Amino acid sequence: MVDFDCTYDNSAGINKEVTRKTNLQFPEAYKHWESMVLLAQELKKHDHTSFCTLPFCHTVEGEAMGGIINYGDENIGPRAGDYICTTPEEILGLPKIDYSKGRIAEVLKACHYLREKGENVVLYVSGPFTIMNVLMDSRHVFKALKKQPEAMKEIFIKFQDEIMCFVTAAQKSGVNMLCYADPSGGLNVLGPKYAEQVVELFTYPLLKGIEEILNDETMMLLCPKTTLALLGTDRAVWKDINLGVPIKYAEACIEVIGQAKFVGQMCIKNNHYKLKNGVIKTLSLC
């Protein structure tokens, strides 16, 4: 297994120049679908991309489970606040996400509105360690990973169910590109042994389930860290699609919706990455 050298870390796209232009009030702007729409459209213009992205952080799922969030300001987006759990058992006791209320519902409303206006929409979906990072100090997370493997398996099952529900709700809202990443649980953080276990226990079963529910109008963009973990454990193989002309990676992803369920050779945040030979590598699960 090899790692991908990520230069974007936990960034989800907040830009000071953009937030200052909007004249929105922060942090309230991060909480309501109308202001989310405006921010997403302005970020699209600023970054010269062919899609809008939501949300502007990696805390939505954790908050919807009861996590405490520091909503930030116009300079920095929402991030984890005080932790509410210290044990795996406490995480397992958290309520299921209600997609009809709270900020997660506002995100889905914003996605629906943007799609109705003809925009391509990328919705960020967080992996288990990134969600846990909102709920529990990482010291307790990695202690549980080593000392309470059965409890961690139960947490993985709980989070698989939640992410599947999120993907289903997003698809109903019209989202055509989901972007899955777990920056808090990469090979560089977990090490080879645990990274391989996470693929076997969580990532691969999750993506196999998502593969079943994705329709021909939706695809999943994988963080290259996730892609390389799947390839390194022989859980996926590359499948090339030749688009015939040089094309930006992001635009190529849009082009192959309906032809592939998964892509993941480059970070979607790399706006300048171009496929000079016109070939995009899609991913087929084994």
Side-chain angles (χ1 to χ4, degrees):
M1 192 186 297
V2 295
D3 201 7
F4 178 78
D5 184 16
C6 179
T7 57
Y8 293 92
D9 299 319
N10 259 352
S11 169
I14 287 298
N15 184 285
K16 296 177 185 178
E17 293 178 33
V18 170
T19 54
R20 288 169 184 164
K21 274 184 186 178
T22 61
N23 293 320
L24 294 170
Q25 296 298 310
F26 291 88
E28 288 302 310
Y30 297 127
K31 302 178 184 180
H32 306 289
W33 73 265
E34 298 95 337
S35 47
M36 290 180 190
V37 165
L38 180 57
L39 277 171
Q41 290 174 324
E42 289 299 322
L43 281 166
K44 176 190 172 185
K45 292 177 190 175
H46 180 272
D47 295 335
H48 304 289
T49 63
S50 49
F51 53 84
C52 293
T53 57
L54 284 162
F56 312 110
C57 63
H58 294 280
T59 64
V60 170
E61 298 98 327
E63 180 187 33
M65 290 182 181
I68 298 169
I69 303 301
N70 180 338
Y71 284 104
D73 52 30
E74 68 274 13
N75 298 316
I76 186 169
R79 57 199 185 278
D82 295 331
Y83 298 115
I84 63 169
C85 299
T86 57
T87 67
E89 291 75 17
E90 288 175 332
I91 289 181
L92 290 168
L94 294 175
K96 288 181 66 67
I97 294 175
D98 184 344
Y99 293 93
S100 68
K101 67 179 184 180
R103 186 158 59 105
I104 202 163
E106 296 297 304
V107 169
L108 292 171
K109 289 177 188 175
C111 291
H112 179 72
Y113 179 88
L114 288 165
R115 287 294 289 147
E116 287 287 301
K117 293 296 181 180
E119 298 281 9
N120 292 300
V121 175
V122 172
L123 176 68
Y124 292 127
V125 177
S126 296
F129 289 92
T130 301
I131 296 173
M132 281 189 281
N133 195 45
V134 175
L135 304 170
M136 188 163 73
D137 190 292
S138 60
R139 293 175 300 161
H140 299 306
V141 172
F142 293 114
K143 180 180 177 182
L145 187 64
K146 295 176 181 178
K147 304 290 187 181
Q148 296 178 268
E150 293 304 314
M152 287 300 294
K153 287 180 184 178
E154 291 185 48
I155 290 174
F156 286 161
I157 292 170
K158 177 183 177 71
F159 284 3
Q160 282 170 0
D161 290 343
E162 291 293 3
I163 293 171
M164 291 277 286
C165 289
F166 194 19
V167 169
T168 300
Q171 195 164 241
K172 287 180 180 177
S173 296
V175 171
N176 59 335
M177 291 185 286
L178 298 139
C179 184
Y180 176 81
D182 197 13
S184 298
L187 175 62
N188 60 317
V189 178
L190 299 178
K193 174 185 174 182
Y194 290 112
E196 184 171 353
Q197 287 182 12
V198 170
V199 171
E200 297 296 331
L201 295 174
F202 185 88
T203 313
Y204 180 72
L206 171 71
L207 296 181
K208 286 296 283 186
I210 289 173
E211 186 176 39
E212 292 297 317
I213 63 175
L214 289 183
N215 59 36
D216 288 339
E217 297 176 356
T218 316
M219 73 150 33
M220 177 154 277
L221 316 170
L222 299 177
C223 166
K225 285 178 173 285
T226 300
T227 298
L228 292 174
L230 289 164
L231 293 169
T233 52
D234 297 320
R235 288 301 192 174
V237 293
W238 289 122
K239 181 182 176 183
D240 291 353
I241 296 179
N242 192 340
L243 298 174
V245 293
I247 187 172
K248 285 186 176 180
Y249 178 66
E251 294 170 0
C253 291
I254 296 169
E255 284 290 319
V256 296
I257 293 174
Q259 300 179 59
K261 295 291 181 74
F262 302 102
V263 296
Q265 74 189 86
M266 180 47 63
C267 179
I268 194 64
K269 298 168 192 171
N270 188 338
N271 298 326
H272 305 294
Y273 188 74
K274 194 169 185 177
L275 303 171
K276 295 179 181 179
N277 60 358
V279 175
I280 183 170
K281 290 184 172 297
T282 69
L283 209 67
S284 292
L285 301 178
C286 297

